[in-house]
Amino acid sequence: MSEQLFQGRIPHAIYKEQELEEYSENPFTAALPHILSFSEASERMRDKPKFKEEEKFLDGSVRVHAIARLLRSFYQPLSQHLQLEQKISLLIRQGYMGRSPKTGDFYKQQQNAYQRVMERDLDAKIFDDVTSTATSLSIFGCSGCGKSRAIERITKTYQQAIYHPKYNITQVVYLRLECPSGGDLTELCLSFFVEMDKILNTRYSQSHGRKKLGPEGLKTNMAIIANLHALGVLIIDEVQNLNEARSGGARIMNNFFVSLVNTIGIPVIQIGTPKAKKFFQSNLKDARRVTGLGSILWTRMPKDKYWESLLKRLWQYQWLQKAEDLTPELIDTMYDLTQGVMDFVVKLFVLAQARAIAIGSERITAPLLEKVYFDEFQPVHPMIDALKSGNPNLIKNYDDLTLPAVENKLLEIVQDVEVQTEVIKDHEKPTGDKAKILLSLLLQMDIDEDIAIPMVDKVMTTTPDLPIPALINKVTQFATKELKDSNPKPEKTKRIKQADWKDLPTNDLRYIFATKGKRQCVKALLAKGIVLFLN
């Protein structure tokens, strides 16, 4: 295969034989990837963080940084993501059908665009035989449900810009705009030229993006640039951020989006919370025109087998030294606290791990999840309560709540971990990473420093070359023996105070009694066959 050529940073087109003849004949669609099957799309969209078992034995402050990988690198596509990928694939390819440079339609579109500029009229045209095959798609859903992330993962399966040397055309396959908070249609149009400049290293924001032109004049210039660069799809995100009063009302905004599709001839995807629906539903006719491929209600995950499957994948990435398997109790608790909103799911899992390191428990339990939710998720409690109620009137009032930056909270937890381990630095002890790990582990096991420090010293003196797992096993054995020898009544050393039962393994009956009460404990005894139920 020949080496990929580039026009500056933009790769030259490589035309591929497509499954459909009409796609192979059009240079704009022939340069796209093959149409993906569900399995291929799933594989390309999936993302997973780097993870090594040995990282579990790093210092707590370092592990918190490893846990943060989940915020950027964990993505598991579900059936709704794959269906959306197919819709966008169809949207882009069908939108190019009326704009092939081979047939001359592309240049007729450009002539019509030029005429609109000259007459300052979006309905002006020279060629009547040019028809638009562009359509659109609207996606509405509560904040945090993963709408924007899904679009991001799907568009990454395409090359954003492609240069066609034979036609001297730089094709832009997709362009994403984010509506500025409190902004209007003029600001939205201006962002179009700024984003085009970023992709193409041009100066359209200076030559075509003059604010004094207003929405109509800017929209005409958008048509010129979009046609010039064969824009495949325009994605407008966070539509609910537009200021209705500044933009002239819902009707004017609705007409704006309709004309983007029908007059400019570019496929458009509108994304927003349910509050944005009114911009596209002023009347039935316009609603149909602006939602050509339908309007998708992007909902939170239901509590079904896919929810459990997703959690199982997520649960693999634990940097905790006493990490336990996913249990039905944890599955239920995670759903109760997040209501299937993916943004909340990942963030709760991340913060729970960091908290487990900070307090030294080194495992995730249902009470720990509830504590983290209570402490860190205060801003979204009203939204979660509304989702639990299932009342649409309540839900629509809380569809745009967001969590504060989780990274900031992780920094606070890192400080907590460092404060907790400061006690180690205040004592004479063996030096070196292995010794620090061993001593930290013993302190997390609530072993007194006057016992832990000599034990680590002894192990590192006698067997310093053993790998970390073997040293952990040996120092634990030494520490246990030391504890037994230091107490003349062994039976008392085995007793665990009832106040500490919540720190036992989750399958321990004392843990169940302490966290769930007597009724659940009896159920567990019955399930294990330890006691019999007699009528």
Side-chain angles (χ1 to χ4, degrees):
M1 188 174 183
S2 59
E3 184 180 351
Q4 174 79 66
L5 300 177
F6 287 82
Q7 179 77 1
R9 298 173 301 169
I10 299 171
H12 284 202
I14 298 177
Y15 303 113
K16 310 169 189 69
E17 192 67 30
Q18 303 290 322
E19 291 85 345
L20 297 179
E21 184 179 343
E22 60 266 35
Y23 290 165
S24 293
E25 291 175 350
N26 187 331
F28 294 147
T29 49
L32 299 177
H34 292 292
I35 299 172
L36 301 177
S37 65
F38 270 10
S39 59
E40 289 172 329
S42 178
E43 185 60 33
R44 293 197 186 188
M45 292 169 64
R46 183 180 294 114
D47 197 8
K48 51 188 178 181
K50 294 179 180 178
F51 179 78
K52 297 179 180 178
E53 285 289 336
E54 54 265 32
E55 290 178 338
K56 293 182 178 182
F57 302 106
L58 296 172
D59 283 345
S61 57
V62 177
R63 283 186 284 150
V64 170
H65 285 263
I67 294 167
R69 295 171 187 163
L70 287 165
L71 298 172
R72 302 284 176 267
S73 304
F74 178 80
Y75 195 81
Q76 175 59 38
L78 305 170
S79 59
Q80 63 178 351
H81 300 100
L82 303 179
Q83 291 168 8
L84 179 60
E85 188 279 330
Q86 289 209 334
K87 283 200 171 192
I88 292 177
S89 173
L90 181 64
L91 192 87
I92 293 173
R93 288 169 171 82
Q94 288 298 303
Y96 278 130
M97 285 297 90
R99 296 186 286 160
S100 174
K102 266 189 175 182
T103 62
D105 289 344
F106 175 74
Y107 302 102
K108 288 181 180 180
Q109 292 271 17
Q110 286 191 0
Q111 288 295 319
N112 282 348
Y114 177 75
Q115 191 66 20
R116 289 164 192 152
V117 174
M118 296 301 294
E119 299 184 20
R120 300 186 67 81
D121 180 5
L122 276 172
D123 293 322
K125 55 187 174 181
I126 299 175
F127 299 99
D128 294 323
D129 60 337
V130 178
T131 57
S132 172
T133 57
T135 185
S136 66
L137 177 67
S138 297
I139 306 173
F140 304 112
C142 69
S143 183
C145 285
K147 308 179 298 296
S148 300
R149 188 83 187 279
I151 291 291
E152 177 190 344
R153 298 302 305 177
I154 291 168
T155 52
K156 279 189 175 181
T157 64
Y158 295 89
Q159 181 69 46
Q160 186 168 23
I162 305 168
Y163 179 65
H164 299 260
K166 182 177 179 180
Y167 307 99
N168 193 27
I169 298 170
T170 301
Q171 171 190 5
V172 177
V173 179
Y174 64 90
L175 179 71
R176 177 183 172 273
L177 306 180
E178 183 170 321
C179 295
S181 181
D184 57 17
L185 294 176
T186 296
E187 292 180 31
L188 175 61
C189 292
L190 292 173
S191 67
F192 171 88
F193 301 105
V194 172
E195 293 304 316
M196 273 292 193
D197 287 346
K198 289 179 183 178
I199 298 169
L200 303 170
N201 195 27
T202 50
R203 294 187 175 183
Y204 291 133
S205 56
Q206 298 177 26
S207 59
H208 291 71
R210 297 186 298 277
K211 189 173 184 178
K212 64 181 181 179
L213 294 174
E216 291 304 311
L218 290 169
K219 189 165 55 175
T220 303
N221 285 349
M222 285 172 65
I224 295 174
I225 303 305
N227 281 298
L228 180 64
H229 291 289
L231 179 59
V233 62
L234 176 62
I235 302 164
I236 306 177
D237 203 353
E238 305 293 352
V239 179
Q240 76 282 351
N241 284 345
L242 289 174
N243 187 300
E244 186 177 349
R246 290 178 58 189
S247 299
R251 176 67 185 178
I252 290 177
M253 296 175 74
N254 180 77
N255 290 338
F256 173 85
F257 288 106
V258 168
S259 63
L260 279 180
V261 179
N262 295 340
T263 310
I264 297 178
I266 301 299
V268 177
I269 298 175
Q270 301 96 198
I271 309 170
T273 67
K275 287 182 179 179
K277 278 188 176 183
K278 61 183 176 181
F279 301 152
F280 310 105
Q281 295 180 342
S282 60
N283 64 57
L284 181 60
K285 180 182 176 182
D286 285 346
R288 286 174 179 168
R289 293 166 75 191
V290 83
T291 56
L293 278 183
S295 175
I296 298 176
L297 182 59
W298 196 264
T299 59
R300 56 201 169 100
M301 284 192 69
K303 189 179 176 183
D304 55 15
K305 63 179 181 179
Y306 298 109
W307 164 255
E308 184 173 340
S309 176
L310 175 78
L311 279 191
K312 284 181 179 178
R313 284 187 177 274
L314 183 62
W315 227 253
Q316 300 174 39
Y317 302 106
Q318 292 190 64
W319 283 263
L320 303 177
Q321 294 169 356
K322 299 180 186 177
E324 296 184 354
D325 293 336
L326 187 65
T327 63
E329 181 188 25
L330 290 170
I331 293 172
D332 293 342
T333 303
M334 283 291 289
Y335 195 84
D336 184 59
L337 300 179
T338 65
Q339 289 299 296
V341 177
M342 274 309 301
D343 187 49
F344 300 165
V345 171
V346 176
K347 287 176 179 176
L348 179 60
F349 185 62
V350 165
L351 290 176
Q353 286 198 61
R355 179 71 67 87
I357 292 173
I359 65 176
S361 66
E362 291 289 339
R363 62 175 181 163
I364 294 176
T365 62
L368 177 67
L369 290 171
E370 291 166 353
K371 177 64 174 170
V372 172
Y373 172 78
F374 179 80
D375 292 343
E376 315 299 351
F377 280 59
Q378 291 282 352
V380 296
H381 283 183
M383 180 180 176
I384 294 296
D385 291 340
L387 291 172
K388 287 180 182 179
S389 74
N391 186 332
N393 293 324
L394 283 177
I395 294 172
K396 72 179 182 181
N397 293 326
Y398 301 109
D399 63 3
D400 56 356
L401 289 177
T402 56
L403 279 170
V406 172
E407 291 84 353
N408 292 340
K409 179 51 60 177
L410 286 174
L411 288 175
E412 293 177 18
I413 293 175
V414 168
Q415 292 174 353
D416 291 343
V417 173
E418 290 175 348
V419 168
Q420 182 195 43
T421 55
E422 276 296 315
V423 64
I424 298 175
K425 300 177 182 178
D426 293 336
H427 296 82
E428 291 185 4
K429 60 183 186 303
T431 58
D433 291 339
K434 287 184 179 180
K436 290 180 180 179
I437 292 172
L438 293 175
L439 184 55
S440 176
L441 177 63
L442 290 179
L443 294 178
Q444 290 167 13
M445 293 169 62
D446 294 328
I447 296 175
D448 291 338
E449 293 168 18
D450 57 348
I451 296 176
I453 292 174
M455 286 302 95
V456 173
D457 187 24
K458 182 175 181 180
V459 169
M460 293 304 299
T461 301
T462 56
T463 54
D465 297 327
L466 286 178
I468 285 289
L471 286 172
I472 290 173
N473 182 57
K474 187 172 288 293
V475 78
T476 304
Q477 290 176 355
F478 282 174
T480 303
K481 183 177 183 300
E482 183 71 19
L483 285 171
K484 288 181 179 179
D485 293 344
S486 64
N487 196 323
K489 297 181 179 180
E491 64 276 11
K492 289 186 178 180
T493 62
K494 294 180 181 179
R495 184 178 179 182
I496 299 175
K497 295 179 181 179
Q498 188 168 346
D500 297 327
W501 286 4
K502 63 181 185 301
D503 297 324
L504 293 168
T506 53
N507 59 354
D508 192 295
L509 292 175
R510 290 167 293 180
Y511 170 83
I512 297 172
F513 183 89
T515 58
K516 295 297 180 181
K518 184 185 297 184
R519 185 180 296 274
Q520 290 297 325
C521 187
V522 171
K523 286 183 179 180
L525 289 169
L526 288 169
K528 292 176 178 291
I530 296 174
V531 299
L532 297 177
F533 181 80
L534 300 176
N535 289 323

